[in-house]
Amino acid sequence: MIRTPSPQAARGQDFVVSRRRRELVDRLRKEGIHDAQVLAAMEKVPRHEFVDELLKSRAYENTALPIGSAQTISQPIVVALMTQALLSGQKLKRVLEVGTGSGYQTAVLAELVENLFTVERIKPLTEQARLRLAQRGYRNVHFGYADGMNGWSPYAPYDGIMVTAGAESVPRALTEQLAVGGRMLIPVGPQGRQSLRLIERSTRGLVERDLAAVSFVPLLAGRD
């Protein structure tokens, strides 16, 4: 027989989860995340709802966790760092996310941008993420099942592009879809030696700089 938690027990669980999210945000602040809106989004989005039941107790650890299909949900510090660097204190109108994954980074971005376009090459992941975000009431997210290396050209150019998988080199299709004044975050390099790269497009071309050492699953071509 399945037992439903009593209202008192459910309230107790909610309190514990909320406290752990606040503690996570405090750790992120100490790690150098200073954007108040990013921190608020990280506190609002329930990471435990984006992982499997067996991993929910670890949802607020600052660690990557498996989500199936040989993919992971990124460390909260990486999610916060990439979001902060991409937005740079601005309210972006049109953002592309390459690699929907669990939908957690998607939800954080959806709290902070006007329109979010997200593509995923693994069909079960994009379907699951679509359901999760719909259940939470997000209406500014557009989902695509596609090869992320090609971006999503019908809706380009984008004010921001975030890539949540590591590329050996920066796909040209993505830089071509970046608007003048836009910013892209992408992990670049071989596995084990990746750098989080910030790419900005000006009227003179592209300016690139590396922000931090990171470790992401590889950015692959095609669809599964």
Side-chain angles (χ1 to χ4, degrees), residues 140-187:
N140 62 334
V141 183
H142 311 274
F143 292 86
Y145 169 50
D147 181 343
M149 285 191 175
N150 297 324
W152 203 353
S153 59
Y155 301 100
Y158 298 100
D159 304 309
I161 298 177
M162 180 182 289
V163 184
T164 60
E168 289 283 343
S169 60
V170 180
R172 182 175 178 180
L174 297 182
T175 57
E176 289 177 344
Q177 292 173 32
L178 189 63
V180 173
R183 302 161 69 87
M184 178 163 68
L185 268 294
I186 179 171

Side-chain angles (χ1 to χ4, degrees), residues 11-21 23 60:
R11 286 195 296 272
Q13 291 173 0
D14 290 344
F15 174 79
V16 171
V17 169
S18 296
R19 184 189 66 198
R20 294 188 68 190
R21 275 211 300 275
E23 290 172 349
Y60 296 102

Side-chain angles (χ1 to χ4, degrees), residues 104-125:
Y104 175 65
Q105 173 73 83
T106 314
V108 172
L109 284 172
E111 292 285 339
L112 300 166
V113 307
E114 290 189 21
N115 290 284
L116 179 60
F117 300 83
T118 182
V119 292
E120 172 59 57
R121 62 180 296 274
I122 300 173
K123 194 167 188 179
L125 291 182

Side-chain angles (χ1 to χ4, degrees), residues 16 73 75 142 165 167 217:
V16 171
I73 181 172
Q75 290 177 264
H142 311 274
V217 297

